[in-house]
Amino acid sequence: MLVNIGLGVVFVLGIVFTAYMLIGSWGGAYWVHTTAVAVVMCGLALLRERGRPWTAAAGVVITAVAVGVSLVGDLPQEPSPTAALALAVLVGSSIRTLPVLPAAAIAAGGVAVTAFVWVCGPTGVTTTATLLVVGGLIAGPLLRAFALVRRSGAPSSPPLGRPEQ
């Protein structure tokens, strides 16, 4: 629960900061599209425990659609750093907890969306999105392996001050 609270705070700060920066640089209502995408993606990331395969699949699809809309509609490039972080959370969490086949499908979707982002060209947004999704692709299997080690029955150390029996 604390992780979700911290993640929620980071999401809110990221969304507000991105909207502020877009209002200052692009002007007009260009910030609305980016903010809407980020709010939906962050909501999915925070609800990832309730419907893990569906929230992750929806996140991949929404990100792909947002990238396409931003390309066609001459809007700020997607995914925004906050939406990319949400996608990384969804992909990494799916790899960590789903069975291998659905986890691989979500990971492949994350890679495909990241490759699609590069259609826009090498920019700071592209690089940030790539680094975040790659982080999710690395963290997910590491956390999965760590969870397997913990469940393997390895003896844990006794609490401090209490001898083993």
Side-chain angles (χ1 to χ4, degrees):
M1 185 166 138
L2 288 176
V3 170
N4 275 344
I5 291 170
L7 199 54
V9 169
V10 169
F11 286 156
V12 167
L13 293 174
I15 290 168
V16 169
F17 178 73
T18 303
Y20 174 77
M21 295 304 289
L22 286 174
I23 290 168
S25 62
W26 283 66
Y30 284 102
W31 62 275
V32 174
H33 171 69
T34 298
T35 301
V37 170
V39 166
V40 170
M41 288 296 296
C42 293
L44 288 171
L46 291 173
L47 295 173
R48 69 192 178 282
E49 300 293 329
R50 297 182 189 229
R52 192 167 308 276
W54 301 113
T55 54
V60 169
V61 169
I62 289 168
T63 303
V65 169
V67 170
V69 168
S70 71
L71 279 170
V72 172
D74 194 33
L75 295 169
Q77 187 179 356
E78 289 294 334
S80 68
T82 309
L85 175 61
L87 179 63
V89 167
L90 288 167
V91 168
S93 179
S94 295
I95 294 170
R96 181 180 66 86
T97 59
L98 289 178
V100 174
L101 195 55
I106 297 297
V111 169
V113 168
T114 303
F116 183 40
V117 171
W118 279 91
V119 169
C120 302
T123 65
V125 171
T126 307
T127 304
T128 302
T130 302
L131 290 173
L132 288 168
V133 172
V134 167
L137 291 168
I138 292 170
L142 287 175
L143 291 172
R144 184 181 192 117
F146 182 68
L148 289 174
V149 168
R150 288 182 49 192
R151 281 184 281 186
S152 69
S156 61
S157 61
L160 291 175
R162 299 185 78 195
E164 283 191 50
Q165 297 177 0

